Amino acid sequence: MKAGARILVRTCADVRADENVVIVTDPERMAIARAVADEALEAGAVLSILVPPERSIDNEEPGPAVAAALSAADVVFLPVTLAMAHTRAVREAIAAGARVLSMTAFTERMMRVGGLFTDFSARQPLSRALAAKLTAGERLRVTNPAGTDLAMSLAGVTGNSHACLLDGPGFSAVPNIEANCAPAHGSADGVFVCDGSIPYYGVGPVSDPVTFRISGGFVTHIEGGDQARFLTELLARQEDPWVYNLAQFAFGLNPACTGFTGEMLNDEGVNGTVHIGIGTSANLGGSVSAKTHFDAIARAPSVWIDEEMVLSDGEILADRG
């Protein structure tokens, strides 16, 4: 896995000699953490590996000891089984100057083949251009052949470019190249039909489309088969109304992510898809902190920002030239 670790350390995180590097992991991802650690040590970093107490759900806070270590780090790698990117601990680490690379549910396969081995620099201009359109736009609408028809306001929104290249404080999830935003709070209305993947909570690629009915910026109903029922019950158990917040809209932009595997950061980056995030929005420019955050991905979307079509049935129009 050395080639993959070298990309993560040298290209994505730009680790330099004498920087404090913290790797947060768990027993299931320890082989990946050690590969990244070996490469960081070769780069001259001062290294710590943390294994926090087990958490119960994606984006649950990791506890004060881990939070303190993250805030003292120059660079953070998160090869963890349950997502940590959308937590207050990560938000505070970034505010303190950390570069955070999210590697949720990373697999050894992903260290060897697939999206990690794309040209991130070549894709960065497109990611930035779409983020700029999200910032400048007033209104977004997305449809897809499965029945999606969802609209939201972009007023006052700042788009984010996450191209897996960190040259200053911030976070990116690798190899998930994406441009995203937190829509204007309370503005989303319509239907989002996930016919791709929900790569959280063990759901993975959907066997039956999962329909999210959204009103006033909140999910009001989740419909479909067994996976939809599982998700409905899981969210209800959180006893937190904010877990239904429409937190995110994002474009998947990695041309080396070509199909849904159930690996979170592969599926969210599949080129020409879009996903919504539900729950916490604070790490994306929004104001909501919920008990969890998860994403749902749609195939073959068409997207309009104001009057401009930017995706047509999964084709990114900026790629035509």
Side-chain angles (χ1 to χ4, degrees):
M1 296 188 288
K2 183 173 176 59
R6 186 173 183 84
I7 292 169
L8 290 163
V9 170
R10 309 281 184 156
T11 300
C12 298
D14 190 26
V15 172
R16 297 181 286 274
D18 298 325
E19 286 194 308
N20 289 308
V21 172
V22 171
I23 301 174
V24 181
T25 193
D26 48 57
E28 189 173 351
R29 312 287 161 183
M30 185 58 73
I32 294 169
R34 289 192 183 282
V36 174
D38 288 345
E39 189 64 32
L41 289 171
E42 286 190 24
V46 179
L47 181 73
S48 301
I49 298 178
L50 305 182
V51 181
E54 185 175 351
R55 294 173 299 132
S56 61
I57 193 169
D58 285 294
N59 294 301
E60 182 180 0
E61 292 295 331
V66 173
L70 299 189
S71 289
D74 297 303
V75 181
V76 175
F77 293 92
L78 299 175
V80 288
T81 299
L82 294 177
M84 198 179 292
H86 295 278
T87 60
R88 183 178 62 254
V90 166
R91 191 160 63 250
E92 291 175 351
I94 293 167
R99 309 192 299 280
V100 179
L101 207 63
S102 176
M103 299 170 59
T104 303
F106 228 76
T107 65
E108 293 186 21
R109 185 200 73 86
M110 293 172 68
M111 292 288 286
R112 297 187 175 103
V113 297
L116 188 57
F117 296 87
T118 197
D119 187 340
F120 295 114
S121 294
R123 212 60 176 158
Q124 189 174 56
L126 173 62
S127 181
R128 286 176 170 170
L130 288 172
K133 289 182 185 295
L134 292 170
T135 300
E138 293 293 325
R139 195 81 181 160
L140 182 146
R141 181 186 176 207
V142 55
T143 65
N144 85 331
T148 294
D149 194 347
L150 178 66
M152 62 197 72
S153 172
L154 299 176
V157 162
T158 299
N160 307 297
S161 172
H162 291 169
C164 307
L165 298 171
L166 294 171
D167 56 5
F171 89 91
S172 193
V174 62
N176 170 30
I177 304 172
E178 70 173 58
N180 65 44
C181 70
H185 182 63
S187 70
D189 286 288
V191 177
F192 187 89
V193 181
C194 169
D195 57 348
S197 180
I198 301 173
Y200 288 73
Y201 318 131
V203 177
V206 297
S207 52
D208 297 300
V210 177
T211 298
F212 296 87
R213 300 197 179 275
I214 298 163
S215 179
F218 286 83
V219 174
T220 57
H221 296 283
I222 304 173
E223 302 164 4
D226 290 343
Q227 291 165 315
R229 285 189 286 275
F230 165 80
L231 195 57
T232 298
E233 293 167 3
L234 181 144
L235 294 178
R237 288 197 300 272
Q238 305 313 307
E239 298 182 339
D240 176 6
W242 294 107
V243 300
Y244 301 99
N245 174 57
L246 197 290
Q248 178 185 17
F249 179 86
F251 300 95
L253 301 173
N254 189 331
C257 296
T258 57
F260 297 114
T261 64
E263 296 159 319
M264 179 189 301
L265 297 178
N266 173 83
D267 291 8
E268 292 177 2
V270 170
N271 197 50
T273 63
V274 298
H275 57 272
I276 58 170
I278 299 168
T280 295
S281 65
N283 291 27
L284 299 162
S287 59
V288 171
S289 294
K291 284 188 176 178
T292 188
H293 174 106
F294 71 95
D295 295 338
I297 305 156
R299 301 173 184 264
S302 296
V303 178
W304 295 261
I305 297 178
D306 297 332
E307 301 303 316
E308 180 185 3
M309 177 179 265
V310 293
L311 261 72
S312 176
D313 293 326
E315 181 183 2
I316 303 168
L317 299 186
D319 279 347
R320 283 181 173 175

